[in-house]
């Protein structure tokens, strides 16, 4: 008995709700500052200022609309702008990557490329350091024999030292680039997972 009653109640509620949604407003009513109702067939600026009710042909309320509050609207403008900017950024992410798996693959490819660059630069640094050992041994040999170190050897040592410093800076820069790339893609992947 109770289940039947609940079922009938829900059916009546749904039919009433569908009827209310399908009914088009015939009148619009607002109450002015003195509480006097004003009715018209269209929405006027006063309707928006005071808030209004949409009425069907039988003068039954089918929808209520709150009064427009310019102060609240002004206060919410930065929030709406931020939300619009965020939605635009989300659309760009979806367009660029379509989903988190694509972004994950792009991240892995980018990180692999940087790792290869780091390995290559480290090999070159190792070669420069071996060259430095060789040049220093030659310099020590000249000094041991109490000979003047040739200018060409001094230039090679200076040039080698500068190249070692440049390679070290480049390797540090590549490590920073690796970390920044990982962080960049991790944010994108996390955001795309939320949007999926």
């Amino acid at each position: 008995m109770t289940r039947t009653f609940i079922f009938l109640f829900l059916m009546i509620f749904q039919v009433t709700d569908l009827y209310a949604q399908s009914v088009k407003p015939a009148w619009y009513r607002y109450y002015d500052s003195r509480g006097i109702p004003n009715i018209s067939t269209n929405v006027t600026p006063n309707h928006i200022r005071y808030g209004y009710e949409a009425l069907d042909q039988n003068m039954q309320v089918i929808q209520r609309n709150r009064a427009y509050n310019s102060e609240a609207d002004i206060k919410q403008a930065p929030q709406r702008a931020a939300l619009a900017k965020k939605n635009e950024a989300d659309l760009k992410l979806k367009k660029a990557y379509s989903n988190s798996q694509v972004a994950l693959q792009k991240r892995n490819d980018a990180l692999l490329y940087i790792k290869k660059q780091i390995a290559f630069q480290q090999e070159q640094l190792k070669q420069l350091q071996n060259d430095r050992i060789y040049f220093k041994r030659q310099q020590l040999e000249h000094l041991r024999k109490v000979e003047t170190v040739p200018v060409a050897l001094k230039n090679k040592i200076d040039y080698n030292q500068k190249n070692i410093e440049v390679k070290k800076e480049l390797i540090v820069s590549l490590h920073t680039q690796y970390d920044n790339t990982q962080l960049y893609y991790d944010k994108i992947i996390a955001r795309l997972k939320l949007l999926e």
Side-chain angles (χ1 to χ4, degrees), residues 94 98-102 189-196:
K94 282 184 176 182
S98 69
N99 63 48
S100 61
Q101 290 303 314
V102 172
I189 291 165
R191 186 67 193 151
L192 285 168
K193 283 183 179 179
L194 289 175
L195 297 173
E196 290 174 355

Side-chain angles (χ1 to χ4, degrees), residues 32-120:
D32 64 16
S33 59
R34 293 176 287 163
I36 298 171
N38 294 277
I39 297 175
S40 68
T41 56
N42 59 357
V43 177
T44 66
N46 282 334
H47 284 80
I48 295 169
R49 183 181 313 128
Y50 293 110
Y52 63 95
E53 298 169 330
L55 309 171
D56 65 10
Q57 291 178 349
N58 298 323
M59 300 298 284
Q60 298 295 315
V61 176
I62 55 174
Q63 184 180 359
R64 286 188 171 84
N65 296 294
R66 294 182 182 168
Y68 174 72
N69 184 338
S70 60
E71 291 176 8
D73 188 46
I74 291 169
K75 286 180 184 177
Q76 291 174 353
Q79 294 170 342
R80 283 195 309 274
L83 183 62
K85 190 174 181 181
K86 183 180 174 187
N87 289 339
E88 185 180 338
D90 288 346
L91 283 174
K92 283 182 182 178
L93 279 181
K94 282 184 176 182
K95 200 173 200 179
Y97 300 102
S98 69
N99 63 48
S100 61
Q101 290 303 314
V102 172
L104 182 66
Q105 185 60 47
K106 286 192 177 193
R107 181 198 70 182
N108 292 344
D109 291 345
L111 294 179
L112 182 63
Y113 177 74
I114 296 170
K115 275 184 184 178
K116 286 180 180 178
Q117 285 184 344
I118 291 171
F120 177 73

Side-chain angles (χ1 to χ4, degrees), residues 3 19 33 35 37 43-45 81 110 115-116 122 124 127 130 134 139 154 162 176:
R3 285 184 182 177
Y19 173 75
S33 59
V43 177
T44 66
K115 275 184 184 178
K116 286 180 180 178
Q122 285 174 332
Q124 286 194 325
Q127 182 59 49
N130 288 338
Y134 174 73
Q139 182 185 36
K154 285 182 182 179
K162 287 175 185 173
T176 302

